[in-house]
């Protein structure tokens, strides 16, 4: 299987998939235009070695780029970011996290959030 020819998503829920999925933890409901904390990390710790490691994590709101964090093999691939909720007029929005492993490609996770 070539993980580099597509964006990968969790399907079977096995340990390999959990290790590569950038799970998003944040409130399910947030207030418009207020900052809230978003934590992104793999469900199971991924190796961080010279030959196999997580290179970066990116965060998007819908398809709008928000942030990117690059890692070396000396880091734990886990980030906490403060994100500003969209203005009123939306009922809900999505956050999308991408995470890249140097051997196993880019993995995506999407979470839907309601606006209060
Ligand atoms: Fe990997």
């Amino acid at each position: 299987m070539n993980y580099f020819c597509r964006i990968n998503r969790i399907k079977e829920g096995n340990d390999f998939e959990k290790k590569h999925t950038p799970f998003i933890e944040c409130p399910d409901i947030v207030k418009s235009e207020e900052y809230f904390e978003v934590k992104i990390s793999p469900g199971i710790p991924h190796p961080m070695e010279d030959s196999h490691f997580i290179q970066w994590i990116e965060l998007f709101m819908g398809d709008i780029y928000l942030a990117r964090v690059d890692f070396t093999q000396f880091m734990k691939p886990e980030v906490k970011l403060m994100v500003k909720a969209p203005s009123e007029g939306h009922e809900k929005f999505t956050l999308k996290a991408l995470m890249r492993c140097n051997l196993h490609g880019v993995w995506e996770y999407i979470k839907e959030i309601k606006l209060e």
Side-chain angles (χ1 to χ4, degrees), residues 68-112:
R68 174 186 174 110
V69 180
D70 290 295
F71 298 103
T72 60
Q73 53 275 58
F74 310 109
M75 300 300 290
K76 184 177 185 179
E78 178 176 310
V79 293
K80 285 182 182 169
L81 299 164
M82 296 303 293
V83 176
K84 191 179 187 181
S87 52
E88 287 175 63
H90 306 76
E91 258 178 42
K92 58 191 178 183
F93 62 97
T94 56
L95 286 180
K96 176 173 81 178
L98 297 179
M99 185 169 85
R100 189 177 200 272
C101 166
N102 71 315
L103 293 185
H104 302 114
V106 175
W107 290 69
E108 177 186 77
Y109 183 82
I110 293 173
K111 179 178 164 117
E112 192 173 277

Side-chain angles (χ1 to χ4, degrees), residues 20 46 52 101 104:
H20 289 92
H46 183 279
H52 184 201
C101 166
H104 302 114

